[in-house]
DNA sequence: GAGTGGTCTAGACCACATA
DNA sequence: ATGTGGTCTAGACCACTCG
């Protein structure tokens, strides 16, 4: 017995958008908007394929992408079930700027420093360049609603992209990197905490010794080349990291 | 022109292990052990399939699983390339206990509290139970090399599993949950920082006001049911979160 | 133009869960 | 016993990259 025979999907075979993607988008929309109730079964793949005039592998590909997103669960012998919804915020490699903007926090950036310097041992190791080689250094203060939120310190290999001060002030670093045609692939992150130094307390308007959240991140492009190494400090009173993660099956 | 014609793979069709999985495991091993050099091309899928006596979809499935793991990159018109390796530590829903054990840190647990109490508004919201309903509360102190590392406070729905004190002292909570036949699916996490309270400073052997890392986590099983809500505090001087994340393509 | 991955088809048989 | 997803095949055509 299958469910949801009544759901309508419209597939456009003349569209350049793949059929499995059209279907997964419409399934996702149906889940988000409640057309497919949490806990309900999706109906078996063979019927669904027949009803849509698609082959089973194509339907499976659509379903699989939603399983990977954590929206559906498949059980052999049982069926495909809509997961009882939780907040869906996958862990993404987003920039603080975009996060703040999406939250309506009116982000702004003050560029404190934009120069080159010889790579320290740690920066050199992260970026995969020789120690002492010239690397770009950018230091920024990130504000939200005019209040300081974080102190951002980034090192980049020289020649990777042309950073201009206006771009840095107007948007996030990741957007500039992507705009330069670089495909980001992965990042290594370390999140910790420590007490604010005197200098940081002045920059971030926190008392000296106040707890700060720290993040170090090395970002790689799809050739495995290190693109950026960041050492960031956030006001713990104003910011926390918030994300969802899925268990690898 | 394809590369790596010489690589040997042995597939066992009589094994219950799927062929695509046998292949992906052997490919991964070849990558890890350097048999497939970073940056090198894998050779096209059709030849590989023919050479192995498999169909192309099966070979694609094997390759895709490694792309999802971040080990390979596919480019249309170019080929499949081994990524220049970085540390491979995907973000997993692992327990602190397992992490410490894997790092050779000799973890230990002191169970401070194991009882039930009425759910506060926040706990009730996280677990999806009515406010004031009885929930299990477990408080533990986690040690490494005999030194306190973290204070762990977990709430669970009653009746979900039978926690016994011995199990809690001997291993991590997640292992007990999985051992009870529960399939973990996802978690929502918030990581922040704050200053140690007087009580925490005593428990964790940190000065009062010292920076602490905090994590709140709600874990869900594969039916979408909340299984556990944790409020944990880590000594920032001793611990940081460390993970890798992949960009969603 | 040649070579690559991306998509799609129409079947088949198997393993597992449930009644 | 039935129904489900899991795996696998042997093709096909298309879109993209690069020389």
């Amino acid at each position: 017995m299958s469910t949801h025979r009544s759901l309508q999907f419209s597939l456009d075979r003349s569209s350049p958008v793949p059929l499995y993607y059209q279907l997964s988008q419409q399934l996702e929309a149906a889940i988000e908007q409640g057309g497919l109730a949490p806990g309900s079964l999706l109906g078996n793949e063979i019927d669904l394929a027949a009803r849509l005039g698609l082959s089973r592998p194509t339907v499976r590909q659509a379903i699989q992408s939603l399983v990977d997103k954590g929206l559906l669960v498949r059980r052999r012998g049982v069926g495909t079930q809509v997961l009882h919804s939780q907040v869906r915020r996958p862990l993404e490699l987003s920039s603080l700027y975009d996060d703040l903007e999406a939250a309506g926090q009116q982000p702004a950036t003050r560029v404190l420093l934009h120069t080159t310097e010889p790579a320290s041992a740690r920066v050199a190791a992260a970026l995969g360049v020789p120690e002492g080689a010239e690397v770009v250094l950018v230091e920024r203060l990130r504000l939200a609603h005019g209040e300081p939120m974080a102190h951002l310190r980034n090192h980049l290999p020289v020649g990777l992209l042309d950073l201009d001060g206006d771009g840095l002030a107007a948007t996030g670093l990741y957007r500039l990197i992507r705009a330069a045609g670089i495909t980001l692939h992965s990042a290594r992150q370390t999140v910790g905490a420590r007490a604010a130094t005197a200098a940081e307390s002045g920059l971030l308007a926190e008392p000296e010794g106040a707890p700060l959240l720290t993040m170090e991140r090395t970002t790689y492009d799809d050739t495995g080349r290190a693109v950026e190494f960041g050492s960031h400090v956030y006001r713990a009173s104003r910011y926390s990291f918030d994300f969802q993660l899925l268990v690898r099956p």
Side-chain angles (χ1 to χ4, degrees), chain A:
Chain A
M1 170 77 79
S2 70
T3 343
H4 301 296
R5 290 188 197 283
S6 55
L7 268 166
Q8 293 300 328
F9 299 101
S10 67
L11 300 172
D12 176 5
R13 298 191 93 99
S14 70
S15 160
V17 178
L19 293 170
Y20 81 88
Y21 191 76
Q22 294 183 37
L23 177 55
S24 77
Q25 291 282 84
Q26 293 178 41
L27 278 170
E28 182 167 357
I31 293 168
E32 300 290 349
Q33 295 159 23
L36 286 170
S40 65
L41 290 169
L42 201 61
N44 78 60
E45 302 172 351
I46 287 120
D47 287 356
L48 188 56
R51 201 147 25 107
L52 297 172
L54 295 174
S55 68
R56 186 183 168 204
T58 300
V59 171
R60 274 184 69 80
Q61 194 173 357
I63 291 175
Q64 187 59 46
S65 72
L66 299 184
V67 171
D68 291 342
K69 276 194 180 181
L71 274 63
L72 297 175
V73 183
R74 287 208 258 221
R75 294 173 212 266
R76 201 201 296 242
V78 178
T80 302
Q81 213 165 359
V82 180
L83 206 56
H84 287 91
S85 60
Q86 304 306 334
V87 184
R88 314 203 187 284
R89 191 169 357 180
L91 180 54
E92 279 183 18
L93 191 53
S94 60
S95 75
L96 175 59
Y97 189 91
D98 293 346
D99 288 347
L100 292 173
E101 193 169 54
Q105 300 250 17
Q106 303 171 25
T109 308
R110 191 179 309 153
V111 178
L112 304 176
L113 203 60
H114 181 186
T115 180
T116 66
E117 67 171 22
S120 66
R122 182 202 223 155
V123 168
L127 293 181
V129 301
E131 191 172 340
E134 284 294 306
V135 292
V136 175
L137 165 63
V138 177
E139 268 192 58
R140 295 167 294 163
L141 190 68
R142 178 81 84 225
L143 314 162
H145 293 305
E147 289 266 342
M149 289 287 290
H151 179 231
L152 312 174
R153 208 176 136 84
N154 295 86
H155 286 87
L156 298 86
V158 290
L160 194 69
L161 75 164
D162 274 331
L163 291 172
D164 70 298
D166 290 351
L168 281 171
T171 183
L173 180 59
Y174 276 16
R175 225 179 266 182
L176 297 175
I177 291 176
R178 288 194 230 248
I182 294 169
T183 305
L184 297 180
H185 176 269
S186 61
R188 282 277 284 114
Q189 301 194 187
T190 302
V191 174
R194 60 173 172 74
T197 65
E200 288 166 340
S201 80
L203 269 174
L204 294 173
E206 289 274 343
E208 197 170 337
L212 299 178
L213 252 184
T214 64
M215 179 186 51
E216 287 202 347
R217 171 162 64 183
T218 310
T219 311
Y220 303 93
D221 73 2
D222 61 356
T223 70
R225 186 178 49 168
V227 163
E228 173 261 336
F229 172 69
S231 301
H232 301 167
V233 181
Y234 304 80
R235 296 174 72 179
S237 59
R238 300 271 180 147
Y239 192 74
S240 56
F241 294 99
D242 199 10
F243 53 87
Q244 178 177 5
L245 62 85
L246 302 177
V247 176
R248 325 161 47 78

